[in-house]
């Protein structure tokens, strides 16, 4: 096998650059998810404490607000995607058509039937959402359109 030393070094350098990009992408996703988490927990707390609603409508309203926030920021700044917004939103909606009923039913069971603390249940749901949504968006929603929006084009001109 013929290996050209310069080619190997270029390949290693490119892999390091890609790894660095993905680490930064993960950090951005984490920070935006934390802000969405704040929206979710504040909304959940207000509804849980100020209404007599059961767990599920408080959780559902809070989840919807945090998802809209998170989707908007991550599409533009984390994945920097120029993918059609309607298509990306529909794919994300597909994720939530599975995640939302599963987490709502499980959350209601844990909080209302097993009497687990509502806030603990909500945090468990938020953590599972964080991990699953990152994987779903990175490898399905934006897989072919990562780093294609105007921010990337503007940055490459500089």
């Amino acid at each position: 096998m013929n290996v050209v030393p310069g080619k190997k070094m270029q390949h290693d350098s490119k892999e390091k650059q890609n790894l660095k990009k993905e680490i930064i992408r993960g950090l951005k996703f984490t920070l935006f998810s934390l802000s969405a988490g704040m929206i979710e927990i504040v909304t959940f707390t207000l509804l849980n404490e100020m209404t007599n609603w059961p767990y599920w409508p408080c959780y559902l309203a809070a989840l919807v607000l945090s998802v809209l926030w998170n989707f908007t920021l991550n599409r533009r700044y984390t994945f920097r995607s120029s993918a059609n917004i309607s298509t990306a939103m529909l794919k994300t909606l597909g994720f939530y058509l599975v995640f939302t009923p599963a987490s709502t039913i499980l959350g209601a069971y844990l909080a209302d039937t097993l009497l687990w603390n509502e806030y603990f249940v909500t945090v468990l749901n938020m953590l599972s959402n964080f991990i699953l949504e990152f994987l779903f968006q990175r490898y399905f929603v934006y897989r072919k359109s990562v780093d294609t929006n105007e921010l990337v084009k503007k940055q490459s001109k500089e």
Side-chain angles (χ1 to χ4, degrees):
M1 183 163 155
N2 246 348
V3 176
V4 178
K7 294 280 185 186
K8 172 124 174 68
M9 288 175 48
Q10 286 175 345
H11 180 71
D12 289 346
S13 176
K14 188 168 183 159
E15 282 183 10
K16 285 180 183 177
Q17 284 179 325
N18 288 339
L19 178 61
K20 182 180 175 184
K21 277 185 183 179
E22 290 305 316
I23 289 170
I24 291 169
R25 193 177 324 281
L27 289 172
K28 285 180 185 178
F29 189 85
T30 300
L31 292 174
F32 291 138
S33 293
L34 287 171
S35 69
M38 292 299 294
I39 290 169
E40 186 171 342
I41 203 70
V42 168
T43 303
F44 177 80
T45 300
L46 289 172
L47 293 174
N48 192 52
E49 299 299 326
M50 300 177 98
T51 70
N52 290 322
W53 294 357
Y55 175 84
W56 74 267
C58 298
Y59 168 69
L60 197 56
L63 179 66
V64 167
L65 290 177
S66 74
V67 167
L68 290 172
W69 174 264
N70 209 26
F71 173 83
T72 302
L73 291 176
N74 279 313
R75 180 181 181 277
R76 179 164 174 82
Y77 298 108
T78 302
F79 300 108
R80 302 185 316 170
S81 175
S82 64
N84 182 289
I85 194 165
S86 299
T87 302
M89 185 64 91
L90 282 173
K91 289 177 179 180
T92 301
L93 176 65
F95 171 83
Y96 281 100
L97 286 176
V98 174
F99 180 82
T100 303
S103 62
T104 303
I105 291 166
L106 179 61
Y109 176 74
L110 295 173
D112 298 336
T113 304
L114 297 183
L115 303 177
W116 286 24
N117 180 280
E118 299 97 344
Y119 297 98
F120 179 71
V121 172
T122 300
V123 169
L124 286 177
N125 277 331
M126 290 168 71
L127 288 172
S128 63
N129 186 16
F130 167 73
I131 294 165
L132 294 172
E133 185 178 6
F134 177 81
L135 294 172
F136 188 82
Q137 287 193 352
R138 175 63 181 94
Y139 297 107
F140 180 69
V141 175
Y142 300 118
R143 175 176 45 115
K144 293 181 180 177
S145 67
V146 169
D147 294 335
T148 59
N149 72 7
E150 73 280 356
L151 294 175
V152 177
K153 291 174 186 170
K154 185 178 174 182
Q155 193 176 42
S156 67
K157 288 180 183 177
E158 295 173 353

